[in-house]
Amino acid sequence: MNDCATERTPQVIAAEINMITHQTKKILLASAVEIGRRLKEAKSLLKHGEWGKWLEESVGYSQSTANRLMKLYEEYGTSFLDGQGMSNCAPVRNLTYTQALLLLGLPEEEREEFLAQNDVPGMTKQELQQALKDRDLAKQAEERAFQENQVLKKGLELIGSTLTEIKKEQGKSFLHPENTGSVQGEEGSGSADSSVSSTAQTSNIPQANSTAQASNTPQPNDTPLPTHNLPTEIDPNAVAKYVGRCDNCCKTISTAFFELTTALTNLTYIDEEMKEEKRKEAQKLLETIAETIKEWPPAKKPLKIMR
């Protein structure tokens, strides 16, 4: 006995107290679940409007306390039914009342996952609160990464679709050039011939000589055709129209580029590998755009003019 007495130290006593306290808290959770079950039963038997009065007069609980106890039963009740789900529900049975309350904020599936990944029964209240806070921050970061990735994807799609439309219009112009100068040249040639004929008749000069003289004069269709098909008469409103269109396109590209850089910045702190992959995709697209716009319209290539 004396030997046993000498072996007892403040540290041993503290460990025993902490163990009893923890066991008491576990018993408190089981008791709270049982109380919640009975409160739910009583509420179902009472008439409408009698619940608050019954709580105050019969058990001395406020409605908020009763709701909390019934919530504990709804979320954890099956874990405390004898002979059912013991292997799957063991982590819950080892929780304290306070730990169980803190975990109520998690959906059931996420709660089970959290219990499997963390030693919740061995945590203090502060440690569990911090673990839950870290989990929320990580989840928010994942959601932000997903949203930023969607913004980045939309930005790249917008720029890509714009470039595709440019290439499509350019391809159409190559296949169907509208060289109005050619038509004008032919019309001009006909006019010249008529003029020469008329002059020959008026001056009584033989037609053959007039034709010979005309053949020595450069004809309009001998002039090299232009490489584009600009209209001969420009709509006075066309300048303002296309300037406005250019400004709107530049604004759209600028907005998309800002969203792109914002998304890349956020990805840098969330997923460095994914950020670098998306940065290279964006860089390749932007380099193609820059090379295309460097000299536009392309030299010596007919383009379809959009009116």
Side-chain angles (χ1 to χ4, degrees):
M1 293 294 293
N2 292 335
D3 293 339
C4 293
T6 57
E7 291 178 359
R8 294 190 59 76
T9 64
Q11 289 77 14
V12 172
I13 295 173
E16 292 176 351
I17 293 174
N18 290 332
M19 181 183 64
I20 295 172
T21 301
H22 186 75
Q23 290 176 344
T24 302
K25 290 181 178 180
K26 287 171 58 179
I27 296 173
L28 178 60
L29 174 59
S31 300
V33 169
E34 285 300 322
I35 293 173
R37 180 173 69 83
R38 287 164 174 79
L39 287 171
K40 196 172 182 66
E41 181 185 8
K43 187 176 183 179
S44 66
L45 297 175
L46 292 169
K47 295 181 180 179
H48 180 72
E50 296 181 351
W51 173 240
K53 181 179 179 181
W54 180 86
L55 285 174
E56 182 178 355
E57 295 179 351
S58 302
V59 294
Y61 286 169
S62 65
Q63 290 197 35
S64 60
T65 298
N67 290 337
R68 184 163 59 249
L69 292 169
M70 288 189 293
K71 182 67 173 177
L72 286 171
Y73 166 69
E74 292 170 357
E75 295 295 326
Y76 303 115
T78 55
S79 303
F80 292 87
L81 296 177
D82 293 338
Q84 296 187 19
M86 290 293 293
S87 59
N88 294 330
C89 300
V92 173
R93 295 173 67 90
N94 290 327
L95 296 178
T96 66
Y97 175 78
T98 302
Q99 291 169 342
L101 283 178
L102 290 174
L103 292 176
L104 282 179
L106 299 180
E108 184 176 357
E109 293 183 359
E110 296 182 19
R111 187 189 309 135
E112 293 178 0
E113 181 181 357
F114 186 83
L115 286 169
Q117 296 176 350
N118 298 273
D119 181 24
V120 177
M123 292 182 177
T124 63
K125 177 182 177 181
Q126 291 74 17
E127 290 172 343
L128 178 55
Q129 288 175 327
Q130 185 61 47
L132 290 171
K133 182 179 179 181
D134 293 341
R135 173 196 171 278
D136 291 340
L137 292 175
K139 189 173 182 180
Q140 292 172 9
E142 291 178 0
E143 292 176 354
R144 284 197 302 270
F146 176 78
Q147 293 173 359
E148 294 297 343
N149 192 40
Q150 291 299 108
V151 171
L152 176 60
K153 182 179 179 182
K154 289 180 180 179
L156 291 174
E157 289 176 352
L158 175 62
I159 297 174
S161 62
T162 302
L163 184 58
T164 301
E165 288 299 322
I166 293 174
K167 291 182 177 180
K168 187 183 297 184
E169 290 298 331
Q170 182 178 352
K172 289 180 180 179
S173 67
F174 291 162
L175 294 174
H176 306 287
E178 297 178 1
N179 293 318
T180 57
S182 176
V183 176
Q184 294 169 359
E186 292 176 359
E187 292 177 351
S189 176
S191 309
D193 290 343
S194 299
S195 176
V196 171
S197 176
S198 176
T199 303
Q201 292 175 2
T202 304
S203 59
N204 296 322
I205 299 174
Q207 181 67 31
N209 294 338
S210 299
T211 304
Q213 293 175 0
S215 63
N216 296 327
T217 304
Q219 298 301 308
N221 58 358
D222 292 335
T223 304
L225 294 176
T227 56
H228 51 75
N229 57 339
L230 291 172
T232 55
E233 295 183 3
I234 302 297
D235 182 358
N237 298 322
V239 174
K241 173 183 177 181
Y242 291 114
V243 167
R245 185 175 296 180
C246 288
D247 291 341
N248 289 335
C249 289
C250 288
K251 184 177 180 180
T252 300
I253 294 173
S254 177
T255 301
F257 183 73
F258 177 79
E259 293 179 353
L260 169 66
T261 53
T262 301
L264 289 174
T265 301
N266 283 277
L267 280 175
T268 301
Y269 298 97
I270 300 171
D271 191 331
E272 180 69 24
E273 184 177 349
M274 178 60 69
K275 184 274 298 184
E276 186 61 20
E277 178 182 340
K278 294 301 179 182
R279 185 196 65 78
K280 289 180 179 179
E281 290 179 7
Q283 181 180 2
K284 183 177 180 181
L285 179 59
L286 293 174
E287 287 175 351
T288 303
I289 294 175
E291 187 64 26
T292 303
I293 203 67
K294 184 183 294 184
E295 184 180 355
W296 190 266
K300 300 181 180 180
K301 293 180 181 179
L303 292 176
K304 180 179 180 180
I305 302 301
M306 301 297 293
R307 302 195 180 189

